[in-house]
Amino acid sequence: MSYLTKTSSDQSLRYSKRFAVYSSSSTMNFSEVFKQSNQLCKVSPDGKYLATCVQYRLVVRDFNTLQIVHLYTCLDQVMHMEWSSDSLFILCAMYKRGLVQVWSLEQPDWHCKIDEGSIGLVSSRWSPDGRHILNTTEFNLRVTVWSLCTKSVSYIKYPKACQKGLDFTADGRYMALAERRECKDYISVFVCDDWHLLRHFESETQDLAGLEWSPNGCVLAVWDNCLEYKVLLYSLDGRLLSSYSAYEWSLGIKSVAWSSSSQFLAVGSYDEKVRILNHITWKKITEFEHPATIMNTKAVVFKEVEKRPVVGSEDLSIHQLTMDNLLFSTQSKYEIKQLPAQVPVIKPDADRANPKIGISALAFSSDNRYLATKNDNMPQSLWVWDMQRLSLLAILEQTAPMRCFVWDPRRPRLALCTGNNKVYLWSPAGCVSVNVPVEGSFQVQSLFWHCSGSSLVLLSKEHICLCYVEAEEEK
């Protein structure tokens, strides 16, 4: 049994600049295309608005109608854009000029400008309360905390330049910051209400690469750089709960992900394995390998197969030939490969830095039932694991390397893209491949879900398109 896409050429409907594509499991509607720059497109946390940046302009639209509700002009090209947690403010950072501008949706005439001056700016973000802005200066000299309410300024010294050196607990009460002092790693925990220091302790790492709070805010995971395999688990008061190391004298950790229940910590490494640690003993309960030959009889290997439709030119008008390029676009479907099956493997160049090998991306589904992984030397394949049975469930073998994959925030449904004009969906019911039916070329470079799980935002190099996905029927 295979799950196929329906060809868009004879089953797509066009109305009010929107398109509908019907798959075997759901209906997908597509909006018209809008411009964006630098992949700057964010949905407000409350799901009501869609903000995009086009060069130095910030455009805010109503998400349901896509009508422009606010239009702001910044002082320079925007490099970073972010919503406040309450969806009332938008931060726009212009790193080259060391500037941050803040815009209000409730009071369009009000705005705030923060100028870091000659000390420069490399990062800017909101605090969880949506009333403080944290700016990291050039060379990581300090983190400056600006208050929008009191206009006060606080400084935090010695932030470490690393993969992920700052993280907030999910409830927004605490912030953990990686620091580097006297050639040693330290961690400081701050209370976000008034930014006073709660705990400061030395980290047992050689060269700290990142840290991340568990979703329940009870445990802080800290991992070392790729030259040493080490994961450290700290409590809120700085106690070392556990330390885990799988091996020595080889490239170590490449990616880390918590499950939303905080019960599992998945650690991906350069040896092409994912190790799952449990929250009780912090010991390994299993490890997932990514072999080139799939022998597991319970796993399903879906292979994308492309086919260009044959259309008689005598049946087409000049308008169709000019406008409906979708008619000639390559269609694809998924077929199930017989086991044992071979997974395409690319041999990495060992002489180059950051070799394309190992687990670079991990993501748990919102219900913690599934884990999706990507192995860099198998760039065309997405692996889905069943966390209840602790076994391989499915592999999606694409015709091109994966660019992005992300779980539906409400359902066990996975969306991915490969840089072509298609969007792909996986669920326990199967797979579907759908062309994005817009005029002109729309190559999907990245995507993300709306917080309701009812729609996807698709981003090409310079445009965005919304994909409305109806929920699959419960079986």
Side-chain angles (χ1 to χ4, degrees):
M1 177 178 186
S2 62
Y3 297 82
L4 313 178
T5 74
K6 303 296 185 182
T7 57
S8 305
S9 58
D10 52 322
Q11 299 199 15
S12 62
L13 301 177
R14 187 171 178 179
Y15 61 97
S16 301
K17 293 187 177 181
R18 292 191 180 182
F19 308 85
V21 175
Y22 297 94
S23 71
S24 58
S25 58
S26 59
T27 302
M28 302 175 69
N29 299 326
F30 292 82
S31 74
E32 59 183 308
V33 172
F34 302 98
K35 286 188 176 182
Q36 56 84 16
S37 302
N38 297 322
Q39 304 286 291
L40 295 179
C41 176
K42 300 283 180 66
V43 175
S44 59
D46 61 9
K48 294 181 179 180
Y49 302 102
L50 176 70
T52 56
C53 288
V54 184
Q55 301 299 329
Y56 57 88
R57 288 190 176 90
L58 171 64
V59 183
V60 181
R61 300 177 185 272
D62 182 286
F63 191 87
N64 292 324
T65 65
L66 296 180
Q67 296 298 312
I68 296 176
V69 293
H70 295 291
L71 183 61
Y72 305 99
T73 301
C74 299
L75 295 173
D76 203 346
Q77 183 171 345
V78 181
M79 303 301 295
H80 174 71
M81 178 262 290
E82 186 178 333
W83 284 93
S84 62
S85 56
D86 56 8
S87 304
L88 296 180
F89 297 93
I90 305 179
L91 173 156
C92 293
M94 292 143 275
Y95 295 143
K96 292 181 179 179
R97 293 185 58 173
L99 290 176
V100 174
Q101 287 186 271
V102 184
W103 307 96
S104 169
L105 265 68
E106 286 188 331
Q107 304 176 29
D109 295 333
W110 177 95
H111 74 278
C112 167
K113 184 178 74 170
I114 299 173
D115 190 346
E116 290 289 354
S118 59
I119 199 168
L121 180 67
V122 296
S123 175
S124 184
R125 63 179 296 172
W126 285 104
S127 66
D129 66 0
R131 295 300 179 270
H132 293 82
I133 294 173
L134 283 72
N135 287 343
T136 304
T137 62
E138 284 189 350
F139 308 110
N140 281 67
L141 296 178
R142 70 188 185 201
V143 174
T144 308
V145 183
W146 300 83
S147 172
L148 296 185
C149 299
T150 65
K151 300 182 181 179
S152 62
V153 183
S154 304
Y155 299 101
I156 303 174
K157 296 182 179 180
Y158 313 114
K160 182 173 183 179
C162 57
Q163 177 185 354
K164 186 175 183 181
L166 187 155
D167 194 35
F168 294 97
T169 54
D171 60 10
R173 296 180 63 187
Y174 303 104
M175 179 187 79
L177 179 70
E179 301 177 357
R180 188 73 172 178
R181 305 184 185 190
E182 298 176 351
C183 300
K184 294 182 180 179
D185 290 329
Y186 293 87
I187 296 172
S188 290
V189 179
F190 295 88
V191 179
C192 296
D193 287 342
D194 56 5
W195 303 101
H196 76 266
L197 182 64
L198 179 67
R199 288 288 184 272
H200 177 74
F201 54 93
E202 185 176 347
S203 172
E204 297 183 16
T205 51
Q206 296 294 324
D207 185 9
L208 189 153
L211 50 80
E212 185 174 342
W213 289 103
S214 61
N216 61 14
C218 295
V219 180
L220 180 67
V222 179
W223 57 95
D224 224 320
N225 73 345
C226 64
L227 297 179
E228 183 166 350
Y229 194 119
K230 183 185 286 187
V231 181
L232 305 167
L233 289 310
Y234 291 98
S235 65
L236 183 61
D237 59 6
R239 290 181 295 113
L240 180 62
L241 301 175
S242 183
S243 175
Y244 176 77
S245 178
Y247 52 81
E248 295 180 332
W249 316 116
S250 185
L251 291 177
I253 297 171
K254 193 167 187 177
S255 56
V256 174
W258 285 99
S259 66
S260 58
S261 64
S262 303
Q263 293 177 303
F264 301 114
L265 180 66
V267 183
S269 50
Y270 282 87
D271 67 347
E272 305 177 50
K273 297 180 181 180
V274 177
R275 293 167 176 86
I276 307 296
L277 309 183
N278 74 83
H279 72 297
I280 299 176
T281 64
W282 298 116
K283 302 298 182 183
K284 182 186 73 173
I285 58 174
T286 190
E287 65 181 30
F288 297 143
E289 300 183 5
H290 295 69
T293 303
I294 307 302
M295 305 294 293
N296 187 345
T297 56
K298 295 182 180 180
V300 180
V301 181
F302 297 93
K303 181 178 181 181
E304 182 188 9
V305 179
E306 291 185 337
K307 181 180 179 181
R308 182 174 293 274
V310 179
V311 181
S313 59
E314 63 275 5
D315 299 328
L316 299 177
S317 66
I318 297 298
H319 178 74
Q320 287 175 307
L321 285 168
T322 304
M323 300 298 293
D324 201 356
N325 70 308
L326 183 65
L327 194 63
F328 298 99
S329 61
T330 301
Q331 308 295 315
S332 71
K333 64 179 182 179
Y334 281 105
E335 294 181 350
I336 294 182
K337 296 176 68 173
Q338 297 295 320
L339 298 183
Q342 294 294 320
V343 179
V345 180
I346 296 177
K347 186 176 181 181
D349 187 352
D351 296 330
R352 299 186 63 180
N354 302 315
K356 294 292 184 180
I357 187 172
I359 312 302
S360 62
L362 299 164
F364 284 94
S365 61
S366 58
D367 61 358
N368 303 296
R369 176 69 188 271
Y370 306 103
L371 173 69
T373 62
K374 177 188 176 183
N375 186 15
D376 273 356
N377 51 313
M378 300 174 177
Q380 296 174 219
S381 301
L382 179 67
W383 303 64
V384 182
W385 308 85
D386 189 324
M387 292 303 297
Q388 290 187 351
R389 296 181 173 86
L390 296 178
S391 62
L392 180 64
L393 181 64
I395 298 177
L396 277 66
E397 184 183 317
Q398 306 297 130
T399 58
M402 281 187 303
R403 295 291 184 92
C404 177
F405 67 88
V406 61
W407 286 101
D408 184 328
R410 299 293 181 88
R411 308 172 186 85
R413 181 167 56 180
L414 191 65
L416 63 143
C417 62
T418 61
N420 56 19
N421 66 333
K422 300 178 182 64
V423 59
Y424 306 91
L425 292 175
W426 175 91
S427 75
C431 301
V432 64
S433 165
V434 178
N435 283 48
V436 181
V438 299
E439 296 176 3
S441 176
F442 191 96
Q443 310 297 318
V444 186
Q445 303 297 318
S446 64
L447 48 79
F448 61 90
W449 288 95
H450 185 270
C451 56
S452 67
S454 61
S455 54
L456 279 162
V457 180
L458 313 178
L459 291 87
S460 68
K461 187 176 181 180
E462 297 179 343
H463 296 89
I464 64 168
C465 176
L466 270 56
C467 172
Y468 304 94
V469 186
E470 290 186 3
E472 296 176 351
E473 295 182 1
E474 298 294 335
K475 296 183 179 180

